Amino acid sequence: MGRYLEVAAEIAGETVVARCAPEQALEARTMIDRGFGPLAGRKPGLAGAVVVFGWAAYRLERREGQLLVCEPDFDEDPRQFRPDVTASLRVVARQVGLVKMLGVKPDGCRFDDKIVADRAALRAREVVLHRTGLAKGGDSGWYMGRADAKGKPSAEELAGFMSCGLVRLGRERLLDVLALPVGYIARFDGDTLLGIADARNREVYSPKRARS
């Protein structure tokens, strides 16, 4: 990988290390402290421990003589973990930043929670994401459709995939909105967030609003 920073913290006499971008040092330390800190008394030790912090899950693995924090491999196979937390911290930071900007309480989901989508939306440039419910039982509560859709797709036209699948689709920026509350709708043109409406269909974000 390219240039990274190693953020280290002592937990129960062991040094836990997270590799991330230099500007993510604070987020990495917070994730280690809040995620793995409570496991200080874990038996038989910290290696192999998995915690959920925000959208992502993290696992401690002994690699290269260190106890490293690993994130799911979103680019290849999220069932496997890699010794780097850059991508997950980037997503979590954007999600937190958006809900703070809007002044709303976050209703997050996990990287492995399912998004239901119109199959045609997977190839569309302009899409909408609609939060139809809370994350529950592996369902993220999000629906992804075409922005120009005239009606609801049939059951045969729907597909389900883990939310982290947006990374492999080249649509990582759509993950930014996944902590928005139930009823919210976000519209994208490619990677550009065009607008957000709340559960009462009131515009709460647009690029013009953000600049004012």
Side-chain angles (χ1 to χ4, degrees):
M1 61 177 293
R3 180 171 173 261
Y4 62 77
L5 178 72
E6 289 195 344
V7 177
E10 292 292 324
I11 299 178
E14 295 216 58
T15 301
V16 174
V17 177
R19 293 173 175 174
C20 60
E23 64 272 16
Q24 295 176 320
L26 179 59
E27 290 89 344
R29 182 59 187 258
T30 300
M31 178 267 294
I32 293 173
D33 290 344
R34 294 183 182 178
F36 293 103
L39 303 182
R42 181 179 185 268
K43 303 293 184 181
L46 293 174
V50 177
V51 299
V52 175
F53 185 77
W55 174 75
Y58 300 92
R59 185 166 72 191
L60 287 179
E61 297 185 359
R62 292 199 185 278
R63 299 193 185 192
E64 305 166 31
Q66 294 180 303
L67 191 57
L68 296 176
V69 183
C70 301
E71 70 180 9
D73 188 346
F74 306 116
D75 297 304
E76 297 294 337
D77 183 356
R79 295 170 299 181
Q80 304 298 319
F81 284 74
R82 59 191 181 193
D84 177 17
V85 297
T86 305
S88 55
L89 290 183
R90 181 173 63 240
V91 171
V92 172
R94 288 173 178 164
Q95 292 180 349
V96 171
L98 182 59
V99 295
K100 282 186 176 180
M101 181 182 69
L102 297 178
V104 297
K105 182 180 178 181
D107 285 325
C109 64
R110 286 174 46 129
F111 75 99
D112 53 357
D113 283 339
K114 182 178 68 175
I115 291 176
V116 176
D118 179 345
R119 292 181 186 275
L122 303 180
R123 303 181 300 274
R125 179 177 176 84
E126 291 195 33
V127 299
V128 293
L129 284 164
H130 183 198
R131 189 73 186 267
T132 59
L134 293 172
K136 183 179 180 181
D139 189 337
S140 71
W142 281 97
Y143 169 75
M144 178 179 169
R146 292 177 294 121
D148 61 354
K150 303 302 181 183
K152 294 183 179 180
S154 66
E156 292 74 19
E157 295 173 312
L158 296 176
F161 60 92
M162 290 190 294
S163 67
C164 67
L166 289 169
V167 176
R168 296 187 67 180
L169 288 171
R171 307 299 297 270
E172 180 182 318
R173 292 309 300 259
L174 272 61
L175 296 170
D176 296 2
V177 304
L178 295 193
L180 292 177
V182 173
Y184 275 59
I185 300 175
R187 179 169 177 164
F188 284 84
D189 180 356
D191 287 339
T192 302
L193 178 58
L194 297 180
I196 298 173
D198 66 11
R200 297 173 63 182
N201 203 31
R202 299 174 300 185
E203 182 184 72
V204 294
Y205 171 86
S206 69
K208 184 176 180 180
R209 274 174 171 260
R211 289 192 297 269
S212 63

